[in-house]
Amino acid sequence: MKLGFDPELLRYRREDPKVTEQMKKKRPPQREVLDGQHMRKLYVEPTARCNLHCDMCPRHTWIDEPMGDMTMEVYTKLLKDVEENRDLECIFFGGVAEPMSHPRIIEMVRLAKELHLSVELISNGSMLHEKNITALLDAGLDKLWISLDSQHMDSEEKTTGANGFQRTKKMLQTFQQKKTQSNPYAQLGISFVATKSNIHMLPEVVEMARVSNVEEVKVSNLIPYTADMESEVLYQKSLACDLHKEDPNNMPFMLLNLPIMDFEDIPAETLKDLMRQKVDLQMGKDRILRRNRFCPFIESDSVFVRWDGEVSPCLALLHTNKTYLQGMERTIYHCSYGNVKERSFMEIWTDPEYAAFRNKVKEFAFSPCPTCGHCTYAEENMEDCYGNEFPTCGACMWAEGFAQCP
């Protein structure tokens, strides 16, 4: 395993040994996890570049991260390495940049589709003019995701002078019109990052998606990469109090079972009071719970390959950057288990050290950083008070169910 920083600069922050031992004893019991080495979803980051400059983008807080595009030599080797994997179902072009900024992205989509897999791509939409949409569809793209929120649209308007919302509507319509000619089963998705400032836009986004025959709208919470951004998150109370979390082994809260109602007739304050109660809330058929201490990337057998060939377990570990957790600045260091330039991808995927890490994440016996009184361990993802070593995942907002990606 390679760390995304100079080990000589590492400053281990250790607490009182007695306190550390006490915290280790509080680790939840481990469950048996069998890793069959299945790999079903391959995320490919084609480039580290983006044509927009959104304020909430983590790229602004990258630490010593190089910039560049994935070479076709690296990409074609990667495809050759995975083509015999019978478990692989999807290649997803994404990461922490704009895939359409890669000069050969259309060719990359076409080569991926030649493996007879599902191929998806996420874009900020600013480069999706009619020619590019047609080319993506002709190349066999199965699903196009559009990142849509006020930051993207404001940034696009500053960059191109075009009204972001109106342009998105036209783009969705163009996609639906063009797909009938060459790729009738292609789908559309919208990814929306919700903040206090833009949550009022969500009904309009949903309506636009409905009339444009979008198959799915996926809403994620904001992950704050600056101190100012923390004031924009919509989950501070839920994070601090563990509200509405899934805990199959311990259900201490009373179940509040509500029928389907005309909720617009219920005073807003009443709904707010109900949501902040320490109860398990159920509406109609389903309980309102978030999966916590659950990695959506590891559990879905996913893996990320960065633009330079580095293989990372998840989006959070793809680059070294800063985040904030309840007023505390954290450094999240990049983690790689190998580079496809140097080793076969499947050799990296089946490496015992990488497999052991995936099993550890499925057990998720990491310290509960979001609800704990923060110690200095939480300032980095190097180690935690349960004795876990790099990379630690206890403060990950994807694992806590607040952030979600296509």
PDB file of all heavy atoms in Angstrom, residues 276-301:
ATOM      1  N   ARG A 276     -36.925  15.910  14.746  1.00  0.00           N
ATOM      2  CA  ARG A 276     -35.811  16.043  15.685  1.00  0.00           C
ATOM      3  C   ARG A 276     -35.972  15.138  16.910  1.00  0.00           C
ATOM      4  O   ARG A 276     -35.088  15.061  17.746  1.00  0.00           O
ATOM      5  CB  ARG A 276     -35.633  17.498  16.126  1.00  0.00           C
ATOM      6  CG  ARG A 276     -36.753  18.065  16.971  1.00  0.00           C
ATOM      7  CD  ARG A 276     -36.331  19.391  17.606  1.00  0.00           C
ATOM      8  NE  ARG A 276     -36.058  20.396  16.610  1.00  0.00           N
ATOM      9  CZ  ARG A 276     -36.916  21.381  16.307  1.00  0.00           C
ATOM     10  NH1 ARG A 276     -38.085  21.462  16.932  1.00  0.00           N
ATOM     11  NH2 ARG A 276     -36.614  22.274  15.401  1.00  0.00           N
ATOM     12  N   GLN A 277     -37.101  14.452  17.016  1.00  0.00           N
ATOM     13  CA  GLN A 277     -37.314  13.549  18.139  1.00  0.00           C
ATOM     14  C   GLN A 277     -36.426  12.316  18.018  1.00  0.00           C
ATOM     15  O   GLN A 277     -36.114  11.853  16.922  1.00  0.00           O
ATOM     16  CB  GLN A 277     -38.781  13.098  18.191  1.00  0.00           C
ATOM     17  CG  GLN A 277     -39.786  14.189  18.479  1.00  0.00           C
ATOM     18  CD  GLN A 277     -39.692  14.715  19.894  1.00  0.00           C
ATOM     19  OE1 GLN A 277     -39.368  13.982  20.810  1.00  0.00           O
ATOM     20  NE2 GLN A 277     -39.980  15.998  20.059  1.00  0.00           N
ATOM     21  N   LYS A 278     -36.033  11.762  19.156  1.00  0.00           N
ATOM     22  CA  LYS A 278     -35.257  10.520  19.138  1.00  0.00           C
ATOM     23  C   LYS A 278     -36.221   9.347  19.037  1.00  0.00           C
ATOM     24  O   LYS A 278     -36.496   8.625  20.003  1.00  0.00           O
ATOM     25  CB  LYS A 278     -34.402  10.426  20.399  1.00  0.00           C
ATOM     26  CG  LYS A 278     -33.225  11.394  20.391  1.00  0.00           C
ATOM     27  CD  LYS A 278     -32.259  11.107  21.511  1.00  0.00           C
ATOM     28  CE  LYS A 278     -31.037  12.001  21.419  1.00  0.00           C
ATOM     29  NZ  LYS A 278     -30.049  11.713  22.477  1.00  0.00           N
ATOM     30  N   VAL A 279     -36.755   9.193  17.843  1.00  0.00           N
ATOM     31  CA  VAL A 279     -37.676   8.093  17.559  1.00  0.00           C
ATOM     32  C   VAL A 279     -37.270   7.470  16.231  1.00  0.00           C
ATOM     33  O   VAL A 279     -36.580   8.075  15.420  1.00  0.00           O
ATOM     34  CB  VAL A 279     -39.144   8.579  17.463  1.00  0.00           C
ATOM     35  CG1 VAL A 279     -39.615   9.144  18.786  1.00  0.00           C
ATOM     36  CG2 VAL A 279     -39.306   9.609  16.353  1.00  0.00           C
ATOM     37  N   ASP A 280     -37.688   6.228  16.042  1.00  0.00           N
ATOM     38  CA  ASP A 280     -37.567   5.612  14.724  1.00  0.00           C
ATOM     39  C   ASP A 280     -38.830   5.961  13.967  1.00  0.00           C
ATOM     40  O   ASP A 280     -39.928   5.541  14.328  1.00  0.00           O
ATOM     41  CB  ASP A 280     -37.422   4.093  14.848  1.00  0.00           C
ATOM     42  CG  ASP A 280     -36.063   3.712  15.388  1.00  0.00           C
ATOM     43  OD1 ASP A 280     -35.086   4.361  15.012  1.00  0.00           O
ATOM     44  OD2 ASP A 280     -35.985   2.769  16.191  1.00  0.00           O
ATOM     45  N   LEU A 281     -38.663   6.746  12.924  1.00  0.00           N
ATOM     46  CA  LEU A 281     -39.799   7.295  12.201  1.00  0.00           C
ATOM     47  C   LEU A 281     -40.137   6.412  11.002  1.00  0.00           C
ATOM     48  O   LEU A 281     -39.273   6.074  10.197  1.00  0.00           O
ATOM     49  CB  LEU A 281     -39.463   8.711  11.736  1.00  0.00           C
ATOM     50  CG  LEU A 281     -40.582   9.509  11.067  1.00  0.00           C
ATOM     51  CD1 LEU A 281     -41.773   9.661  12.006  1.00  0.00           C
ATOM     52  CD2 LEU A 281     -40.057  10.878  10.653  1.00  0.00           C
ATOM     53  N   GLN A 282     -41.396   6.038  10.928  1.00  0.00           N
ATOM     54  CA  GLN A 282     -41.863   5.247   9.801  1.00  0.00           C
ATOM     55  C   GLN A 282     -43.057   5.943   9.172  1.00  0.00           C
ATOM     56  O   GLN A 282     -43.970   6.383   9.862  1.00  0.00           O
ATOM     57  CB  GLN A 282     -42.257   3.837  10.243  1.00  0.00           C
ATOM     58  CG  GLN A 282     -42.807   2.965   9.114  1.00  0.00           C
ATOM     59  CD  GLN A 282     -42.944   1.513   9.525  1.00  0.00           C
ATOM     60  OE1 GLN A 282     -42.192   1.034  10.352  1.00  0.00           O
ATOM     61  NE2 GLN A 282     -43.905   0.821   8.946  1.00  0.00           N
ATOM     62  N   MET A 283     -43.028   6.086   7.847  1.00  0.00           N
ATOM     63  CA  MET A 283     -44.143   6.671   7.106  1.00  0.00           C
ATOM     64  C   MET A 283     -44.655   5.641   6.122  1.00  0.00           C
ATOM     65  O   MET A 283     -43.935   5.239   5.198  1.00  0.00           O
ATOM     66  CB  MET A 283     -43.702   7.941   6.371  1.00  0.00           C
ATOM     67  CG  MET A 283     -43.390   9.107   7.280  1.00  0.00           C
ATOM     68  SD  MET A 283     -43.053  10.626   6.345  1.00  0.00           S
ATOM     69  CE  MET A 283     -42.670  11.763   7.679  1.00  0.00           C
ATOM     70  N   GLY A 284     -45.889   5.205   6.341  1.00  0.00           N
ATOM     71  CA  GLY A 284     -46.439   4.192   5.462  1.00  0.00           C
ATOM     72  C   GLY A 284     -45.693   2.882   5.611  1.00  0.00           C
ATOM     73  O   GLY A 284     -45.554   2.333   6.700  1.00  0.00           O
ATOM     74  N   LYS A 285     -45.099   2.413   4.534  1.00  0.00           N
ATOM     75  CA  LYS A 285     -44.470   1.096   4.506  1.00  0.00           C
ATOM     76  C   LYS A 285     -43.051   1.084   5.065  1.00  0.00           C
ATOM     77  O   LYS A 285     -42.606   0.097   5.651  1.00  0.00           O
ATOM     78  CB  LYS A 285     -44.455   0.592   3.053  1.00  0.00           C
ATOM     79  CG  LYS A 285     -43.740  -0.733   2.810  1.00  0.00           C
ATOM     80  CD  LYS A 285     -43.878  -1.131   1.361  1.00  0.00           C
ATOM     81  CE  LYS A 285     -43.073  -2.381   1.038  1.00  0.00           C
ATOM     82  NZ  LYS A 285     -41.627  -2.118   1.028  1.00  0.00           N
ATOM     83  N   ASP A 286     -42.315   2.176   4.904  1.00  0.00           N
ATOM     84  CA  ASP A 286     -40.877   2.143   5.166  1.00  0.00           C
ATOM     85  C   ASP A 286     -40.471   3.056   6.315  1.00  0.00           C
ATOM     86  O   ASP A 286     -41.019   4.133   6.507  1.00  0.00           O
ATOM     87  CB  ASP A 286     -40.102   2.560   3.907  1.00  0.00           C
ATOM     88  CG  ASP A 286     -40.344   1.610   2.756  1.00  0.00           C
ATOM     89  OD1 ASP A 286     -40.280   0.392   2.987  1.00  0.00           O
ATOM     90  OD2 ASP A 286     -40.612   2.095   1.637  1.00  0.00           O
ATOM     91  N   ARG A 287     -39.460   2.615   7.040  1.00  0.00           N
ATOM     92  CA  ARG A 287     -38.865   3.436   8.080  1.00  0.00           C
ATOM     93  C   ARG A 287     -37.863   4.401   7.450  1.00  0.00           C
ATOM     94  O   ARG A 287     -37.213   4.079   6.463  1.00  0.00           O
ATOM     95  CB  ARG A 287     -38.151   2.543   9.095  1.00  0.00           C
ATOM     96  CG  ARG A 287     -39.123   1.695   9.904  1.00  0.00           C
ATOM     97  CD  ARG A 287     -38.417   0.561  10.602  1.00  0.00           C
ATOM     98  NE  ARG A 287     -37.452   1.044  11.583  1.00  0.00           N
ATOM     99  CZ  ARG A 287     -36.530   0.250  12.134  1.00  0.00           C
ATOM    100  NH1 ARG A 287     -36.447  -1.008  11.775  1.00  0.00           N
ATOM    101  NH2 ARG A 287     -35.703   0.739  13.024  1.00  0.00           N
ATOM    102  N   ILE A 288     -37.766   5.583   8.028  1.00  0.00           N
ATOM    103  CA  ILE A 288     -36.832   6.590   7.554  1.00  0.00           C
ATOM    104  C   ILE A 288     -35.532   6.421   8.333  1.00  0.00           C
ATOM    105  O   ILE A 288     -35.408   6.857   9.480  1.00  0.00           O
ATOM    106  CB  ILE A 288     -37.400   8.003   7.720  1.00  0.00           C
ATOM    107  CG1 ILE A 288     -38.685   8.141   6.908  1.00  0.00           C
ATOM    108  CG2 ILE A 288     -36.394   9.053   7.285  1.00  0.00           C
ATOM    109  CD1 ILE A 288     -39.356   9.482   7.046  1.00  0.00           C
ATOM    110  N   LEU A 289     -34.583   5.743   7.702  1.00  0.00           N
ATOM    111  CA  LEU A 289     -33.303   5.462   8.328  1.00  0.00           C
ATOM    112  C   LEU A 289     -32.186   5.746   7.344  1.00  0.00           C
ATOM    113  O   LEU A 289     -32.369   5.648   6.130  1.00  0.00           O
ATOM    114  CB  LEU A 289     -33.214   3.984   8.749  1.00  0.00           C
ATOM    115  CG  LEU A 289     -34.148   3.506   9.862  1.00  0.00           C
ATOM    116  CD1 LEU A 289     -34.038   1.992  10.005  1.00  0.00           C
ATOM    117  CD2 LEU A 289     -33.802   4.175  11.179  1.00  0.00           C
ATOM    118  N   ARG A 290     -31.061   6.089   7.865  1.00  0.00           N
ATOM    119  CA  ARG A 290     -29.869   6.188   7.021  1.00  0.00           C
ATOM    120  C   ARG A 290     -28.939   5.041   7.400  1.00  0.00           C
ATOM    121  O   ARG A 290     -28.799   4.688   8.565  1.00  0.00           O
ATOM    122  CB  ARG A 290     -29.160   7.524   7.211  1.00  0.00           C
ATOM    123  CG  ARG A 290     -28.648   7.791   8.615  1.00  0.00           C
ATOM    124  CD  ARG A 290     -27.890   9.110   8.695  1.00  0.00           C
ATOM    125  NE  ARG A 290     -27.561   9.460  10.059  1.00  0.00           N
ATOM    126  CZ  ARG A 290     -26.440   9.111  10.679  1.00  0.00           C
ATOM    127  NH1 ARG A 290     -25.536   8.386  10.039  1.00  0.00           N
ATOM    128  NH2 ARG A 290     -26.209   9.475  11.930  1.00  0.00           N
ATOM    129  N   ARG A 291     -28.315   4.456   6.397  1.00  0.00           N
ATOM    130  CA  ARG A 291     -27.322   3.424   6.673  1.00  0.00           C
ATOM    131  C   ARG A 291     -26.071   4.117   7.184  1.00  0.00           C
ATOM    132  O   ARG A 291     -25.565   5.061   6.583  1.00  0.00           O
ATOM    133  CB  ARG A 291     -27.009   2.622   5.417  1.00  0.00           C
ATOM    134  CG  ARG A 291     -28.209   1.915   4.826  1.00  0.00           C
ATOM    135  CD  ARG A 291     -27.800   0.794   3.911  1.00  0.00           C
ATOM    136  NE  ARG A 291     -27.390  -0.377   4.668  1.00  0.00           N
ATOM    137  CZ  ARG A 291     -27.229  -1.592   4.132  1.00  0.00           C
ATOM    138  NH1 ARG A 291     -27.417  -1.771   2.840  1.00  0.00           N
ATOM    139  NH2 ARG A 291     -26.869  -2.616   4.872  1.00  0.00           N
ATOM    140  N   ASN A 292     -25.575   3.676   8.297  1.00  0.00           N
ATOM    141  CA  ASN A 292     -24.362   4.260   8.851  1.00  0.00           C
ATOM    142  C   ASN A 292     -23.364   3.154   9.128  1.00  0.00           C
ATOM    143  O   ASN A 292     -23.702   1.979   9.221  1.00  0.00           O
ATOM    144  CB  ASN A 292     -24.669   5.053  10.133  1.00  0.00           C
ATOM    145  CG  ASN A 292     -25.148   4.157  11.246  1.00  0.00           C
ATOM    146  OD1 ASN A 292     -26.149   3.468  11.105  1.00  0.00           O
ATOM    147  ND2 ASN A 292     -24.440   4.150  12.359  1.00  0.00           N
ATOM    148  N   ARG A 293     -22.077   3.564   9.242  1.00  0.00           N
ATOM    149  CA  ARG A 293     -20.995   2.603   9.408  1.00  0.00           C
ATOM    150  C   ARG A 293     -21.071   1.542   8.314  1.00  0.00           C
ATOM    151  O   ARG A 293     -20.936   0.346   8.545  1.00  0.00           O
ATOM    152  CB  ARG A 293     -21.011   2.001  10.812  1.00  0.00           C
ATOM    153  CG  ARG A 293     -20.994   3.076  11.905  1.00  0.00           C
ATOM    154  CD  ARG A 293     -20.912   2.539  13.297  1.00  0.00           C
ATOM    155  NE  ARG A 293     -19.618   1.922  13.573  1.00  0.00           N
ATOM    156  CZ  ARG A 293     -18.479   2.582  13.789  1.00  0.00           C
ATOM    157  NH1 ARG A 293     -18.484   3.915  13.741  1.00  0.00           N
ATOM    158  NH2 ARG A 293     -17.359   1.951  14.033  1.00  0.00           N
ATOM    159  N   PHE A 294     -21.305   2.033   7.112  1.00  0.00           N
ATOM    160  CA  PHE A 294     -21.532   1.195   5.931  1.00  0.00           C
ATOM    161  C   PHE A 294     -20.932   1.916   4.733  1.00  0.00           C
ATOM    162  O   PHE A 294     -21.381   3.008   4.381  1.00  0.00           O
ATOM    163  CB  PHE A 294     -23.044   0.993   5.752  1.00  0.00           C
ATOM    164  CG  PHE A 294     -23.435   0.287   4.479  1.00  0.00           C
ATOM    165  CD1 PHE A 294     -23.637  -1.084   4.469  1.00  0.00           C
ATOM    166  CD2 PHE A 294     -23.620   0.991   3.295  1.00  0.00           C
ATOM    167  CE1 PHE A 294     -24.012  -1.731   3.293  1.00  0.00           C
ATOM    168  CE2 PHE A 294     -23.996   0.356   2.126  1.00  0.00           C
ATOM    169  CZ  PHE A 294     -24.194  -1.018   2.124  1.00  0.00           C
ATOM    170  N   CYS A 295     -19.914   1.348   4.123  1.00  0.00           N
ATOM    171  CA  CYS A 295     -19.271   2.004   2.983  1.00  0.00           C
ATOM    172  C   CYS A 295     -19.991   1.621   1.696  1.00  0.00           C
ATOM    173  O   CYS A 295     -19.975   0.447   1.301  1.00  0.00           O
ATOM    174  CB  CYS A 295     -17.810   1.607   2.886  1.00  0.00           C
ATOM    175  SG  CYS A 295     -17.002   2.268   1.402  1.00  0.00           S
ATOM    176  N   PRO A 296     -20.623   2.566   1.012  1.00  0.00           N
ATOM    177  CA  PRO A 296     -21.358   2.229  -0.212  1.00  0.00           C
ATOM    178  C   PRO A 296     -20.440   1.766  -1.339  1.00  0.00           C
ATOM    179  O   PRO A 296     -20.886   1.052  -2.245  1.00  0.00           O
ATOM    180  CB  PRO A 296     -22.064   3.540  -0.576  1.00  0.00           C
ATOM    181  CG  PRO A 296     -21.233   4.612   0.056  1.00  0.00           C
ATOM    182  CD  PRO A 296     -20.688   4.012   1.316  1.00  0.00           C
ATOM    183  N   PHE A 297     -19.175   2.146  -1.302  1.00  0.00           N
ATOM    184  CA  PHE A 297     -18.244   1.744  -2.359  1.00  0.00           C
ATOM    185  C   PHE A 297     -17.745   0.317  -2.137  1.00  0.00           C
ATOM    186  O   PHE A 297     -17.796  -0.522  -3.050  1.00  0.00           O
ATOM    187  CB  PHE A 297     -17.064   2.715  -2.416  1.00  0.00           C
ATOM    188  CG  PHE A 297     -17.473   4.137  -2.670  1.00  0.00           C
ATOM    189  CD1 PHE A 297     -17.344   5.100  -1.694  1.00  0.00           C
ATOM    190  CD2 PHE A 297     -18.001   4.511  -3.894  1.00  0.00           C
ATOM    191  CE1 PHE A 297     -17.716   6.408  -1.918  1.00  0.00           C
ATOM    192  CE2 PHE A 297     -18.385   5.827  -4.141  1.00  0.00           C
ATOM    193  CZ  PHE A 297     -18.243   6.771  -3.146  1.00  0.00           C
ATOM    194  N   ILE A 298     -17.284   0.022  -0.935  1.00  0.00           N
ATOM    195  CA  ILE A 298     -16.790  -1.324  -0.636  1.00  0.00           C
ATOM    196  C   ILE A 298     -17.919  -2.342  -0.707  1.00  0.00           C
ATOM    197  O   ILE A 298     -17.763  -3.433  -1.267  1.00  0.00           O
ATOM    198  CB  ILE A 298     -16.122  -1.358   0.754  1.00  0.00           C
ATOM    199  CG1 ILE A 298     -14.912  -0.424   0.795  1.00  0.00           C
ATOM    200  CG2 ILE A 298     -15.729  -2.780   1.118  1.00  0.00           C
ATOM    201  CD1 ILE A 298     -13.782  -0.808  -0.112  1.00  0.00           C
ATOM    202  N   GLU A 299     -19.086  -1.985  -0.148  1.00  0.00           N
ATOM    203  CA  GLU A 299     -20.196  -2.941  -0.108  1.00  0.00           C
ATOM    204  C   GLU A 299     -20.753  -3.229  -1.500  1.00  0.00           C
ATOM    205  O   GLU A 299     -21.366  -4.266  -1.715  1.00  0.00           O
ATOM    206  CB  GLU A 299     -21.304  -2.417   0.807  1.00  0.00           C
ATOM    207  CG  GLU A 299     -20.920  -2.322   2.270  1.00  0.00           C
ATOM    208  CD  GLU A 299     -20.838  -3.667   2.975  1.00  0.00           C
ATOM    209  OE1 GLU A 299     -21.207  -4.685   2.361  1.00  0.00           O
ATOM    210  OE2 GLU A 299     -20.404  -3.693   4.142  1.00  0.00           O
ATOM    211  N   SER A 300     -20.564  -2.317  -2.439  1.00  0.00           N
ATOM    212  CA  SER A 300     -21.029  -2.556  -3.810  1.00  0.00           C
ATOM    213  C   SER A 300     -19.918  -3.107  -4.701  1.00  0.00           C
ATOM    214  O   SER A 300     -20.069  -3.165  -5.918  1.00  0.00           O
ATOM    215  CB  SER A 300     -21.579  -1.256  -4.414  1.00  0.00           C
ATOM    216  OG  SER A 300     -20.553  -0.267  -4.507  1.00  0.00           O
ATOM    217  N   ASP A 301     -18.795  -3.504  -4.080  1.00  0.00           N
ATOM    218  CA  ASP A 301     -17.674  -4.108  -4.816  1.00  0.00           C
ATOM    219  C   ASP A 301     -17.142  -3.162  -5.889  1.00  0.00           C
ATOM    220  O   ASP A 301     -16.956  -3.550  -7.048  1.00  0.00           O
ATOM    221  CB  ASP A 301     -18.084  -5.451  -5.430  1.00  0.00           C
ATOM    222  CG  ASP A 301     -18.557  -6.444  -4.389  1.00  0.00           C
ATOM    223  OD1 ASP A 301     -17.866  -6.588  -3.374  1.00  0.00           O
ATOM    224  OD2 ASP A 301     -19.621  -7.062  -4.583  1.00  0.00           O
TER     225      ASP A 301
END
